[in-house]
């Protein structure tokens, strides 16, 4: 008759098992929030591009006409105040022009697939910098996560797969053994992930409270009611542009 002796886990091993379970839950939670944050950034970027192309370009035109009027006034009056106002108006016009012709106005539509989201979650769970156990590993993870964020926003699933393969086959992905050392590592990883979760939530809050995000919500609410809020804004600003252009023409003729 054979007798099988089942070794009981030591208190340290039991604690390690609990901490590993906690770590796994945090990894999943952080991956979801990182996915949400990266998606939110991309969606706001796309909306900002749409806004700049449809509305911002008209604001830029309006600022340009106002700058021309201010410059005519400065030339006619010659006072320091008029020259300062003209300089300020010209700066505003240049900033508006730069905004509507810069990278923010060129963002493409962003509709991530289920596969793309799943790949990003996996990258975030396996490669996230806050899972690093030393500085060299952190640097590698930070580089790969930066590449992953760009790949996700481009819809590049192949690059996300490559990033996973690169890290999983790297020496940094191999971990040592030993209950005491493993427990310390897991506890530190848990602490790092909790800190990152707080940072992610702060970034999400800041993004959602930005003016462009609030406008995005208003536009989406208007869309649900059959209104094109951006088109209405564009029509209003176009009217102001027409009025200001006529003012400039009167100033030149006078």
């Amino acid at each position: 008759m054979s007798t099988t002796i089942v070794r009981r886990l030591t208190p340290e091993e039991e604690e390690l098992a609990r901490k590993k379970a906690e770590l796994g839950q945090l990894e999943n939670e952080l991956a979801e929030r990182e996915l949400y944050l990266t998606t939110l950034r991309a969606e706001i970027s796309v909306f900002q591009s749409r806004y700049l192309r449809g509305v911002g370009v008209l604001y830029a035109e309006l600022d340009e006409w106002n700058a021309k009027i201010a410059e005519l006034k400065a030339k006619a009056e010659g006072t320091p105040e008029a020259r300062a106002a003209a300089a300020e108006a010209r700066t505003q016009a240049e900033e508006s022009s730069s905004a509507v012709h810069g990278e923010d106005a060129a963002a493409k539509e962003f509709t991530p697939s289920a596969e793309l989201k799943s790949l990003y979650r996996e990258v975030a769970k396996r490669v996230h910098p806050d899972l690093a156990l030393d500085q060299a590993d952190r640097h590698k993870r930070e580089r790969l996560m930066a590449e992953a964020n760009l790949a996700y926003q481009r819809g590049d699933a192949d690059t996300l797969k490559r990033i996973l393969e690169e890290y999983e086959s790297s020496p940094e992905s191999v971990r040592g053994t030993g209950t005491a050392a493993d427990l310390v590592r897991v506890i530190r990883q848990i602490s790092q992930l909790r800190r990152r979760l707080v940072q992610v939530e702060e970034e999400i809050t800041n993004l959602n409270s930005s003016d462009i995000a609030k406008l995005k919500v208003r536009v989406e609410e208007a869309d649900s009611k059959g209104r094109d809020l951006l088109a209405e804004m564009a029509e209003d600003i176009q009217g102001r542009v027409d009025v200001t252009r006529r003012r400039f023409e009167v100033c030149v003729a006078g």
Side-chain angles (χ1 to χ4, degrees):
M1 178 177 180
S2 62
T3 302
T4 302
I5 299 175
V6 178
R7 187 180 72 85
R8 295 183 61 183
L9 295 178
T10 65
E12 291 81 5
E13 289 171 332
E14 291 178 350
E15 180 65 11
L16 178 59
R18 285 193 293 269
K19 289 300 181 184
K20 282 185 174 180
E22 182 181 352
L23 178 62
Q25 291 175 350
L26 279 172
E27 287 173 346
N28 290 333
E29 182 181 355
L30 181 57
E32 287 293 337
R33 298 311 283 165
E34 291 280 12
L35 173 64
Y36 178 82
L37 175 59
T38 306
T39 302
L40 181 63
R41 285 198 195 106
E43 290 175 347
I44 288 177
S45 177
V46 168
F47 175 78
Q48 184 174 22
S49 175
R50 178 185 168 197
Y51 168 81
L52 289 172
R53 292 195 305 268
V55 179
V57 66
L58 293 173
Y59 271 120
E61 185 179 356
L62 179 62
D63 288 341
E64 178 63 25
W65 287 117
N66 281 326
K68 288 181 177 181
I69 291 172
E71 287 164 350
L72 284 178
K73 185 176 180 181
K75 184 176 181 180
E77 296 180 1
T79 64
E81 293 79 9
R83 287 195 294 270
E88 183 178 349
R90 175 50 58 193
T91 297
Q92 177 64 45
E94 290 174 353
E95 290 176 354
S96 297
S97 178
S98 176
V100 299
H101 295 105
E103 292 183 3
D104 288 339
K108 297 179 181 179
E109 290 301 317
F110 179 72
T111 308
S113 65
E115 180 197 15
L116 194 69
K117 288 183 176 182
S118 178
L119 279 169
Y120 184 88
R121 286 190 194 96
E122 199 62 26
V123 170
K125 283 194 288 186
R126 294 177 181 269
V127 185
H128 201 286
D130 286 331
L131 292 170
L133 298 176
D134 56 54
Q135 201 58 34
D137 188 22
R138 174 172 281 277
H139 287 325
K140 184 179 184 69
R141 288 171 179 266
E142 286 174 345
R143 174 179 64 80
L144 292 175
M145 276 305 298
E147 291 179 17
N149 287 338
L150 290 175
Y152 177 71
Q153 293 184 44
R154 292 195 306 266
D156 187 350
D158 289 338
T159 294
L160 289 176
K161 291 176 183 177
R162 177 190 60 75
I163 289 169
L164 273 175
E165 292 170 359
E166 179 179 341
Y167 189 78
E168 289 301 317
S169 62
S170 70
E172 291 86 353
S173 66
V174 179
R175 298 295 174 223
T177 58
T179 302
D182 286 346
L183 183 57
V184 171
R185 281 195 288 264
V186 170
I187 289 172
R188 290 182 179 180
Q189 287 177 311
I190 287 172
S191 178
Q192 290 173 333
L193 294 192
R194 288 194 182 283
R195 285 198 297 270
R196 178 54 188 162
L197 270 170
V198 171
Q199 293 172 350
V200 168
E201 294 303 332
E202 288 177 351
E203 290 181 52
I204 290 172
T205 297
N206 289 338
L207 270 177
N208 281 326
S209 62
S210 66
D211 290 339
I212 192 68
K214 290 177 181 177
L215 178 59
K216 178 175 177 290
V217 171
R218 288 174 53 205
V219 168
E220 290 169 349
E221 290 175 348
D223 285 344
S224 69
K225 299 174 183 177
R227 289 176 53 208
D228 188 338
L229 184 58
L230 290 183
E232 293 173 12
M233 293 172 66
E235 183 179 359
D236 175 67
I237 299 163
Q238 183 62 64
R240 292 164 61 186
V241 167
D242 294 340
V243 169
T244 307
R245 184 181 65 250
R246 287 194 291 270
R247 280 181 55 207
F248 172 76
E249 292 168 352
V250 168
C251 289
V252 171

